[in-house]
Amino acid sequence: MKRFYRCSLRLLWAALAFFLWGSEVLAAPSGSDKFNIFDFKGPKMKDLYYVIVRDMDAQLLAMSTGKLDVLSDLYRPADVERLAVSGVADLSLASTFHGFFITFNVRKFPWDQKTLRQAASQVVERRKWVRDLFSGYCEPLTSFLPPVSPYHYRVETSPVETLASETPSSETPSSKTLLSGVAGARKRLADEGWTWNLAGWLVAPDGRAVPPVRILCPPSSVAATTTEIAQLMAEALLSIGVPAEAEPMDFQTMLARVDARDFDACTNAWTMSRDPDVLHSFYHSSMDVEGGYNLSGIADPELDRVLHNLRYAPDEATARIMASEAQKLLADLVPVIPLYSRYSISAVRNDWEGVFTTDRSTADNLLTLISMTPKTKEEKSEKSERPIYWNIPEEIRTLNPLVSSTAYDWTVLGTVYDTLLSTDPYTFEDIPWLAESWSIAQGEMGSVLTFTLRPGLKWQDGRPLTVEDVAFSLQYIKDNNVPRFYDSVKDIASIDVKAVDVNAAERTLRIFMANTSYWHLHNIGGMLVLPKHILENVPDWRGWQPTNRPHLALDGTVMTELVGTGPFTFRESRTGEYVHMTRNPHYMLLHSESEKNLGENITDNMTDNIMENRMEN
């Protein structure tokens, strides 16, 4: 997963100095004027093991004994200090697009009552909770995009909850201050006709007693702070007469319950994209489908209108206005309660070299995975080549890329599949990936995107990657209404794979969109590309288990249907133990001598504006 940056980290670095004195903090290279991915060559290591270690103490022990090499998402201050003083690892830090929320199921009573949701938000002491649980390693979140986003709108809180942050943009009007605390919440409820029975439990204006409410959360053995937050939220709800309790459960069971919409409330966290139209995916009523991202089920006509206008904003100025309007509406509707945004802290054992970081990316990234090698010559030799042991703190749910939704699944899938475009790790601007060049123009109906693939690309099974694969991937996802990706492809009108460039015959395709949107380039350029020769033979995309279906590579090697173009190929997995990956011999960065040219990016004014104004992702 990519990591993201916030401009002002000086105070946090000062706070971390105490904890990191015993460990080298990885320096952030300054970067060049033009980042070139083909300056990298790899993967250098043959074997990668994603090792499943759930307990944090066990993770730290495994790190100190060499049974883990990379540890992501450190968040407990005591763990950071312990690892730092051990001297076995180098730590890196960056801000992220992470957001943690309490999500209400607004499809049913009592959370279909807006007044109750508003009252619940008033009794949240996010500043105290974040301070007590994270000691400065997270920042309180009062809105629906993280503070690192240029589109973040700071929702004003009560005097008790007022938080220091950047001054809101002059084009973003202030929202009204909420009443504070339990007294304010109870007054809000009473003013709207809510009462309390003799036992002290809340009763709705129509006489319905509020039933017991359970807040689903992972167990403390998996996510201790998440469990604590669920308990704190339950206690806060009790203070206004809601009979609430936290319900820790197996993480996979919890995900299944949430996907089936079988919950009252739950904890959930997202690592969001650089574009604010992610709000459309999370809160537009059309996304409240099985497997969709609108977990709360919020359906509000005015919110839908604003989110639609955000999704199809023609320019950056309109996008900024609509993003602010959407966040103000969400602050009033309260389908979720934002709580905090986490800083990313990762650790890599210091007997590795080739670790890559920037001021916007911690060390647990794809370029580190490609470049890292042991420092000792003995462990670099072919006979005794050392594997990479990368921690995953939870069981893999599924490696079906069409339905997978957890960060743990995508840690693995992110090394298998690629996209047409990627992002510069220094600036977060668009850079070529599978596509060597792209252009965007205005057609009769809407935007026209043109991508030219790099020459010589191959799938992990040795077959060539063609524009037919790209076109089939996009059309397959659209035709099957695949919820996880449908929002990105639904506006495709047609795809033309006929050669439009004589110098790039059979490598160029044009995608005609049904309308114009500032986000079409990122939505299409960021879509994973799947192999047509596998996908067209999948009988049921929902039930597809690619790792259980054998597949013959071009050279006769037996592999599975989990075939992409990424740096590592799936080999095997053992429940509760590991996922074993091996180096992809056809990976484009292993054959970079003919790929040094990044290609010419042909853009019109629309794309120029994107490049000028984007500092995200």
Side-chain angles (χ1 to χ4, degrees):
M1 301 293 290
K2 292 181 174 67
R3 296 294 186 260
F4 305 88
Y5 172 72
R6 188 181 183 188
C7 295
S8 178
L9 288 175
R10 189 172 302 163
L11 293 177
L12 185 61
W13 277 113
L16 284 175
F18 173 78
F19 292 114
L20 303 182
W21 65 269
S23 173
E24 177 187 356
V25 178
L26 294 172
S30 59
S32 59
D33 292 337
K34 191 171 185 180
F35 175 78
N36 188 344
I37 186 59
F38 289 103
D39 288 337
F40 295 82
K41 187 172 181 178
K44 299 186 182 300
M45 307 308 295
K46 179 182 177 182
D47 290 286
L48 165 65
Y49 286 86
Y50 287 114
V51 184
I52 300 167
V53 183
R54 293 182 176 87
D55 180 74
M56 180 61 75
D57 291 329
Q59 292 172 11
L60 298 179
L61 178 61
M63 195 80 174
S64 65
T65 58
K67 294 180 179 178
L68 282 178
D69 297 308
V70 181
L71 190 57
S72 301
D73 295 328
L74 291 159
Y75 59 90
R76 297 189 309 192
D79 297 330
V80 177
E81 180 181 8
R82 177 179 165 187
L83 193 57
V85 300
S86 72
V88 301
D90 297 329
L91 305 179
S92 58
L93 176 145
S95 191
T96 73
F97 270 59
H98 170 274
F100 184 97
F101 306 89
I102 298 291
T103 296
F104 300 117
N105 187 348
V106 306
R107 304 170 188 84
K108 62 181 184 177
F109 185 76
W111 298 119
D112 59 347
Q113 304 295 304
K114 185 175 78 169
T115 300
L116 180 59
R117 301 195 303 269
Q118 292 173 331
S121 72
Q122 289 178 245
V123 294
V124 169
E125 298 181 84
R126 61 172 59 79
R127 187 175 185 179
K128 180 179 185 301
W129 296 357
V130 170
R131 182 187 66 236
D132 291 350
L133 291 175
F134 300 107
S135 302
Y137 290 88
C138 298
E139 56 185 320
L141 181 62
T142 62
S143 193
F144 302 85
L145 294 173
V148 67
S149 171
Y151 298 92
H152 169 78
Y153 173 81
R154 179 173 177 258
V155 176
E156 295 293 337
T157 56
S158 66
V160 174
E161 275 283 296
T162 298
L163 307 171
S165 75
E166 293 81 21
T167 302
S169 167
S170 59
E171 63 188 88
T172 304
S174 299
S175 63
K176 66 180 182 180
T177 301
L178 296 173
L179 295 171
S180 63
V182 175
R186 294 177 76 95
K187 182 178 186 302
R188 176 190 290 274
L189 290 164
D191 288 348
E192 294 296 325
W194 292 71
T195 58
W196 289 263
N197 62 24
L198 293 178
W201 301 125
L202 200 55
V203 178
D206 62 6
R208 287 181 293 172
V210 171
V213 167
R214 288 177 169 78
I215 305 171
L216 307 189
C217 62
S220 58
S221 60
V222 172
T225 53
T226 300
T227 307
E228 284 194 67
I229 286 173
Q231 292 168 343
L232 289 168
M233 188 71 229
E235 292 171 8
L237 292 174
L238 286 170
S239 71
I240 57 172
V242 176
E245 64 177 325
E247 186 175 357
M249 62 176 57
D250 173 74
F251 186 61
Q252 306 302 332
T253 303
M254 173 186 161
L255 291 176
R257 289 267 305 269
V258 173
D259 277 348
R261 307 327 194 212
D262 178 22
F263 71 101
D264 303 319
C266 67
T267 60
N268 73 284
W270 302 104
T271 297
M272 290 171 268
S273 73
R274 56 176 164 171
D275 297 332
D277 69 328
V278 68
L279 295 174
H280 184 278
S281 297
F282 289 159
Y283 305 112
H284 194 278
S285 62
S286 66
M287 300 307 293
D288 181 19
V289 295
E290 184 180 354
Y293 287 113
N294 184 351
L295 303 182
S296 69
I298 188 68
D300 179 82
E302 178 61 12
L303 178 63
D304 278 355
R305 183 190 68 81
V306 171
L307 291 174
H308 177 85
N309 290 341
L310 171 62
R311 180 69 175 78
Y312 298 105
D315 50 49
E316 195 272 344
T318 304
R320 188 172 293 277
I321 293 171
M322 291 298 106
S324 295
E325 288 299 314
Q327 290 173 85
K328 286 191 289 182
L329 285 170
L330 287 166
D332 178 65
L333 294 169
V334 202
V336 304
I337 298 179
L339 288 180
Y340 68 87
S341 181
R342 180 187 296 173
Y343 298 111
S344 174
I345 305 173
S346 68
V348 180
R349 278 186 60 88
N350 54 23
D351 49 4
W352 289 88
E353 60 188 8
V355 176
F356 180 85
T357 65
T358 74
D359 55 359
R360 305 180 182 197
S361 176
T362 48
D364 52 339
N365 61 68
L366 185 67
L367 295 178
T368 290
L369 189 56
I370 291 170
S371 306
M372 63 191 297
T373 56
K375 289 182 178 179
T376 61
K377 293 182 179 179
E378 294 78 10
E379 291 180 312
K380 291 182 181 180
S381 67
E382 287 292 329
K383 290 183 179 180
S384 61
E385 187 177 78
R386 174 180 174 181
I388 301 171
Y389 296 112
W390 198 293
N391 182 65
I392 294 181
E394 183 52 65
E395 193 69 60
I396 299 300
R397 187 184 184 196
T398 177
L399 291 179
N400 176 349
L402 299 175
V403 301
S404 175
S405 63
T406 76
Y408 312 121
D409 296 350
W410 279 100
T411 298
V412 177
L413 292 171
T415 62
V416 175
Y417 294 106
D418 280 322
T419 55
L420 294 171
L421 302 181
S422 189
T423 52
D424 187 308
Y426 295 99
T427 67
F428 288 161
E429 293 177 331
D430 301 306
I431 60 172
W433 201 253
L434 292 179
E436 67 177 4
S437 64
W438 70 89
S439 67
I440 183 168
Q442 187 63 34
E444 293 182 4
M445 291 190 300
S447 306
V448 180
L449 309 176
T450 303
F451 296 95
T452 299
L453 297 180
R454 299 186 185 278
L457 294 174
K458 291 184 178 181
W459 295 105
Q460 293 169 346
D461 62 7
R463 292 172 174 83
L465 168 66
T466 71
V467 290
E468 295 283 353
D469 291 300
V470 180
F472 189 84
S473 297
L474 296 172
Q475 198 65 52
Y476 185 94
I477 289 170
K478 181 183 179 183
D479 291 347
N480 286 279
N481 300 322
V482 178
R484 301 296 186 196
F485 304 106
Y486 184 70
D487 198 38
S488 294
V489 302
K490 67 182 182 182
D491 296 310
I492 294 176
S494 64
I495 304 173
D496 181 6
V497 296
K498 295 179 181 178
V500 294
D501 182 353
V502 68
N503 297 315
E506 300 180 354
R507 292 193 289 114
T508 302
L509 78 160
R510 288 181 295 181
I511 303 167
F512 297 86
M513 308 302 292
N515 44 47
T516 299
S517 172
Y518 191 54
W519 319 113
H520 282 332
L521 178 64
H522 292 163
N523 287 334
I524 301 301
M527 282 293 301
L528 74 165
V529 179
L530 299 161
K532 178 183 177 182
H533 61 278
I534 289 179
L535 198 59
E536 65 184 354
N537 295 314
V538 172
D540 171 23
W541 65 266
R542 291 184 185 273
W544 182 38
Q545 294 298 326
T547 58
N548 294 337
R549 291 166 61 96
H551 173 70
L552 280 181
L554 201 58
D555 63 3
T557 303
V558 178
M559 50 192 309
T560 74
E561 288 187 346
L562 191 64
V563 173
T565 54
F568 285 91
T569 301
F570 175 86
R571 286 303 173 211
E572 67 166 333
S573 63
R574 294 192 178 182
T575 303
E577 296 185 42
Y578 61 78
V579 178
H580 179 203
M581 315 287 288
T582 57
R583 180 171 53 210
N584 171 17
H586 305 293
Y587 188 54
M588 64 181 184
L589 296 187
L590 280 176
H591 304 278
S592 59
E593 61 275 1
S594 63
E595 303 270 343
K596 285 293 184 181
N597 185 11
L598 278 176
E600 198 68 31
N601 298 320
I602 308 165
T603 59
D604 63 6
N605 291 335
M606 181 176 175
T607 303
D608 289 338
N609 288 336
I610 290 175
M611 299 300 284
E612 288 173 8
N613 290 296
R614 312 294 267 189
M615 291 296 291
E616 320 91 331
N617 206 19

